[in-house]
Each structure stands twice: as structure tokens, then as C-alpha cells.
Amino acid sequence: MAETMPRRARFVIVDWARGAALLAMALYHLCWDLSFFRFLDVDVSGSPGGRASSTAIAGSFLTLVGISLVLAHGSGMRWRAFLTRLAVLIAAAAGVTLATYVAMPDGMIYFGILHSIAVSCLIGLIFLRAPWPLTAVAALACFIAPHIFRAEMFNGFGWIWLGLATEVPRTNDYEPLLPWLGFVLAGIAFARAMPPARWPAFAAQGRIGRLFAFLGRHSLAFYLIHQPVLFGMVWLAAQIMPMRAPVAAEALFNTQCSAACRQSGEDAATCTNYCNCVSGAARADGIWNALISNRLDQGGRQKLDKAIEVCSR
């Protein structure tokens, strides 16, 4: 029976790849934290390079999820191990949602990468025994679908997780099922087309190799812990040596925003709080640089409108 099958040997190369992706993710989040607290005058999540980095990191994780499904269950389904891992993922995803709801309700994470991995693992089981060309075609369809079937009917909260909405929701981590399921299916197709038995053998040699392998074996724990630690460290540094706004454009924005607010009849304190709220939301949504340089696209304007609506309350 599948439950009595021996434990699969780990493939060090997969642990290495996962460990490297984790370190890249930590570096990205550190840059985001530094930008959030104005140590860096860079719109990390809104810049083309930042968006490309974020996509590459998340895509690598999800591709490795597909490869790992084949490694763990390709020669025989181990239901106890799979369901245990799935339960841990669901619990972790729920914990992230709850924590962000308490800490930052305006940017609550309700379908981030952990949620996407959990759902994609379930769907991936359907393709675990399918011919790899069919799985590759399904992966391609996942990448294409959001560009063809996007519609306003999917903007509701109950459908936003599909990734077919016309509006991007305001959240600090959003990896909807489409197109991200495509990376998982691509990983499954790759591992089926290139069976692990053909892979070269590697050993975790050297300090860097052992570090990557260790991180790869404990990826979920590292994911859950690293950002609170990094954010707390940068927050502490900001309390010790707070940074002034590095560009004159911010002062101009605050002046114009306060003037417009005062014209509506609000007092100075209320206008200051409102403008700080809008600028903070613009940074969190990754549209700050585009806002102050008057380069907002349609998606950016939608985010700004939502920020103004929330801050006006």
C-alpha cells in the first residue's frame, strides 16, 4: 500500500534551488522594508525590475512545488504525507490572513502564495499521472486564460482568487490561481518529461551548499519567520535613525494634497492625517513613484481611488 512505502530520498539539487529562491525572496523583502521606511528611494514593488523579480521568485517557488509533487508521489501516492503537508499549508495560509488582518487590514493577504500553493497542489494531483505534453498544454492555458477570460463578473470577493478580475485587489500579496497554477503544472510536466532517475547526483558540500540545502528543507518555516524579523529590524533602525523624505516631490505632494483638503473645509490636523494615509497607501500598493511623477496607468489610478476612498473615512 502507498502508506507503507519507504520515505523518498531527497534531491539536493531541488533543496538548493528552493534555498536560493528563499534567499532571493528575503533580499526582495528587505529592499521593500527599506523602501517602506524610506531608507531607499526606490519603489520596489512598483518598478519594472521589482515586479520582474517578484514574478521570478514566486514563479520559481511554484515550479518547484510541481517538481516536488512528482518527486514525492510520482511513483506512488503517499496520502498521509500529502494530507499532512496540505493541512500545514492551509493552517499557515490562514495564519498569514489572520495576522495581516490584525496588523494591516487595508492590505490583508487573503490569497497569497501559500493559499495558491495549497489549491494548486490539489489540482496538481489530477495531472500527476497525465502525459506530460497534456500537462504542458494545461500550463500554457493557465498563463493565457487571464488575458482572454478577464471580466467584471469576477471582481467580487468570492471570485477574486481565480485571477480573472478586471481590477487588482488591494492586498500585500496576491498570487491568484490563474496564471500561477501554470507554474505548478509546468513543474509537473518538467519532472514527468525528465524523470528524476536521470538527474545527476549531488551532495550538499561546502558551507554555502549546506546552507541552501538546509533552507530548502525548511522552506515553510523560513517563509513564515523571515519577513517579520526583517521588518522588525528595519522598523527598529527607523526608530533609532529616522530618515527624512529623500525627494522634493514628496513635499510638493503633501503641500498640494493638504491645500486641496483644506479647500473642502477640513482642519489642518485632519488633512495631515488624510494625506499621510494616501501617501502610505500609495507606497504599500507600489504606485508611489508613479503618483509623484504623474505617470499613473489605469491600474494605478484604480489603486489610488481605493486608497482615497479608504483614507477619506
Side-chain angles (χ1 to χ4, degrees):
M1 294 178 62
E3 295 294 350
T4 62
M5 294 180 66
R7 180 182 177 88
R8 269 51 169 184
R10 297 194 69 90
F11 285 80
V12 174
I13 190 171
V14 175
D15 286 335
W16 279 356
R18 194 180 291 114
L22 285 167
L23 290 178
M25 176 186 63
L27 178 60
Y28 175 86
H29 284 159
L30 176 60
C31 292
W32 189 95
D33 296 340
L34 291 171
S35 175
F36 183 81
F37 286 103
R38 304 182 190 178
F39 285 101
L40 291 178
D41 183 23
V42 178
D43 188 359
V44 174
S45 58
S47 65
R51 290 195 299 269
S53 298
S54 177
T55 299
I57 293 169
S60 66
F61 273 114
L62 290 163
T63 302
L64 288 168
V65 167
I67 293 174
S68 297
L69 274 176
V70 176
L71 293 180
H73 310 288
S75 60
M77 193 65 200
R78 302 158 62 215
W79 283 109
R80 182 177 301 173
F82 175 81
L83 294 175
T84 299
R85 181 66 173 174
L86 181 65
V88 171
L89 274 173
I90 293 174
V96 168
T97 297
L98 178 61
T100 54
Y101 173 76
V102 173
M104 48 186 74
D106 290 339
M108 181 184 72
I109 297 173
Y110 48 85
F111 206 86
I113 191 165
L114 292 183
H115 306 72
S116 188
I117 289 175
V119 176
S120 296
C121 282
L122 285 171
I123 298 176
L125 294 182
I126 300 173
F127 296 90
L128 208 53
R129 302 287 183 272
W132 73 262
L134 175 63
T135 306
V137 170
L140 182 61
C142 290
F143 292 126
I144 296 175
H147 301 284
I148 298 178
F149 301 108
R150 192 181 301 271
E152 292 185 0
M153 63 177 291
F154 297 111
N155 289 347
F157 183 80
W159 298 102
I160 203 73
W161 62 277
L162 285 175
L164 299 176
T166 58
E167 298 180 1
V168 178
R170 186 178 177 187
T171 174
N172 287 324
D173 184 24
Y174 181 55
E175 271 82 30
L177 187 66
L178 300 172
W180 297 99
L181 172 62
F183 287 100
V184 176
L185 297 184
I188 293 175
F190 171 80
R192 294 277 291 168
M194 297 288 293
R198 303 180 187 174
W199 296 3
F202 288 91
Q205 298 178 350
R207 292 182 179 180
I208 295 179
R210 288 194 294 269
L211 172 62
F212 280 19
F214 176 82
L215 293 177
R217 292 194 301 270
H218 303 87
S219 56
L220 181 58
F222 182 89
Y223 174 83
L224 294 174
I225 294 172
H226 84 282
Q227 176 61 340
V229 172
L230 291 175
F231 191 88
M233 291 172 60
V234 179
W235 175 87
L236 181 61
Q239 310 312 305
I240 298 173
M241 46 181 182
M243 303 295 290
R244 293 189 305 168
V247 291
E250 180 173 5
L252 178 61
F253 168 83
N254 288 332
T255 299
Q256 294 176 340
C257 177
S258 296
C261 178
R262 293 294 297 275
Q263 288 179 357
S264 67
E266 298 293 345
D267 60 80
T270 299
C271 289
T272 298
N273 290 336
Y274 165 77
C275 293
N276 288 339
C277 176
V278 172
S279 62
R283 286 190 178 85
D285 286 339
I287 60 172
W288 174 245
N289 284 350
L291 172 61
I292 62 177
S293 59
N294 197 28
R295 292 185 291 105
L296 283 177
D297 56 16
Q298 182 178 359
R301 293 186 183 280
Q302 290 176 346
K303 291 182 178 180
L304 179 61
D305 290 341
K306 289 184 179 181
I308 291 174
E309 178 184 354
V310 171
C311 293
S312 297
R313 297 172 185 170

